[in-house]
Amino acid sequence: MTNVTLTPAANKFISRMVRFSGQPAGAGFRLHVTEGGCSGLNAEFTVEAAPLAGDSIVEVGGLKMFFTSASRLLLEGVTIDFTDTPTKSGLTFINPNQAPCACSSSGPGDHAHGHAHGNAPAYATVSIDSIRRS
């Protein structure tokens, strides 16, 4: 069983996505997570009528979520939040098991990685622009 936590903001966002998706009752929120990106996670999400082949159904915060087996492993112990600000909107993954990564850009085309060490969790944000339509 995957130990994933949803903040109230994430729960509200995901439940609205499912409710207004046009999918039949029983639809779920499919979250496909892969390793990568500066913060350690990349993700895509869709609302599906049923899980795809190989997906696991996980109930999180009263919501039906579909995870690939790799996603379930990567999301173990992670808190999913939803951020909506004037500059960005999307899901944020708070991973207490991974060191944070601070990225900075010192000029055009120059991307420098600096890994911060400490007890602060890593954050990864997935923009709502990455929503795939089924």
Side-chain angles (χ1 to χ4, degrees):
M1 192 66 178
T2 303
N3 179 23
V4 176
T5 303
L6 295 178
T7 66
N11 189 298
K12 182 177 179 180
F13 170 74
I14 292 170
S15 65
R16 284 184 174 183
M17 290 289 297
V18 173
R19 188 174 344 141
F20 297 115
S21 69
Q23 296 286 354
F29 189 81
R30 184 171 194 269
L31 187 57
H32 176 70
V33 180
T34 57
E35 290 183 295
C38 183
S39 301
L41 295 176
N42 290 315
E44 293 180 345
F45 52 91
T46 57
V47 176
E48 302 288 343
L52 301 180
D55 284 353
S56 296
I57 302 170
V58 179
E59 187 114 353
V60 182
L63 297 172
K64 187 186 298 185
M65 299 185 74
F66 306 144
F67 296 130
T68 62
S69 57
S71 297
R72 286 183 60 203
L73 292 173
L74 290 170
L75 290 171
E76 182 61 37
V78 170
T79 297
I80 302 173
D81 193 9
F82 178 74
T83 305
D84 189 16
T85 68
T87 57
K88 67 178 180 177
S89 293
L91 294 175
T92 301
F93 301 91
I94 305 161
N95 186 353
N97 304 316
Q98 181 173 345
C101 174
C103 290
S104 63
S105 178
S106 56
D110 183 15
H111 186 78
H113 282 278
H115 292 277
H117 299 285
N119 293 330
Y123 288 81
T125 301
V126 179
S127 170
I128 59 173
D129 296 337
S130 68
I131 298 172
R132 291 187 2 226
R133 300 280 179 205
S134 300

